[in-house]
Amino acid sequence: MTHAVCPGSFDPPTLGHLDVIGRAAGLFDRVTVAVLVNPDKKGMFSIEERLELLRSTTSQWPNVTADSFHGLLVDYCAANGIAAIVKGIRAVSDFDYELQMAQMNHGLTGVETLFLPTSPAYSFVSSSLVKQVANYGGDVAHLLPDVVAAALADKITTAGR
Ligand code: PNS
């Protein structure tokens, strides 16, 4: 049984993330979307909220589950029998850092990293840019699953009160 992980912050998940997760689901028997718990970085969405959004937006793929982790990704992979990390590459600018991490991770435990070029439709999409634009009143709904767009609008309305 092949088991891969799609790791990230997912604060919040975008259609770019979903594109990569869905394609990974077609390549592996099982895919875990793993949300990094970073105590140094307070996100807009709590870890539980991100997991809930991921679970509802990946429900069309029965072999995809969502989980959270802290510490090293390689340790999470070893503890869960995961042999491959799947990362989306949006542009050449992503590649430098992703290559460094892939080589470091492989050197640590031998875990492999596979890069999927993201769909060109989402090559400019990042969670941080989406939040920034939405915070200033821009429309980003077309870059997000409906449930995420609604949750983001809700966050911004609540913060503005
Ligand atoms: O969505 P992001 O923030 O780009 O995801 C980055 C992530 C979570 C994949 C990366 O920061 C990570 O793997 N963090 C876990 C800690 C770790 O293993 N660090 C060493 C990387 S070589």
Side-chain angles (χ1 to χ4, degrees):
M1 170 135 155
T2 57
H3 185 183
V5 65
C6 291
S9 302
F10 303 105
D11 185 38
T14 67
L15 286 177
H17 290 129
L18 269 289
D19 170 49
V20 171
I21 294 165
R23 284 158 60 200
L27 295 171
F28 292 90
D29 295 324
R30 189 175 162 202
V31 171
T32 298
V33 184
V35 181
L36 173 69
V37 179
N38 183 350
D40 301 328
K41 216 167 129 188
K42 191 173 165 8
M44 177 182 261
F45 291 85
S46 71
I47 300 297
E48 264 320 309
E49 287 171 330
R50 295 179 218 180
L51 287 172
E52 213 175 288
L53 291 172
L54 283 165
R55 286 183 183 126
S56 67
T57 52
T58 60
S59 59
Q60 74 264 40
W61 301 298
N63 58 337
V64 174
T65 51
D67 192 12
S68 60
F69 76 105
H70 48 81
L72 286 179
L73 178 59
V74 291
D75 290 340
Y76 179 80
C77 291
N80 292 280
I82 293 169
I85 299 165
V86 175
K87 292 299 216 51
I89 298 283
R90 290 168 294 191
V92 177
S93 51
D94 277 345
F95 190 69
D96 269 354
Y97 187 49
E98 291 296 342
L99 179 64
Q100 244 185 322
M101 285 199 288
Q103 289 170 329
M104 175 64 85
N105 285 334
H106 187 262
L108 288 170
T109 62
V111 69
E112 298 289 1
T113 297
L114 302 178
F115 295 135
L116 286 181
T118 54
S119 159
Y122 306 122
S123 61
F124 61 96
V125 179
S126 70
S127 299
S128 48
L129 216 49
V130 158
K131 283 183 287 191
Q132 189 186 110
V133 172
N135 262 320
Y136 287 109
D139 182 9
V140 287
H142 58 296
L143 306 174
L144 301 170
D146 289 347
V147 64
V148 177
L152 180 59
D154 208 45
K155 283 273 177 207
I156 288 166
T157 310
T158 310
R161 267 191 209 133

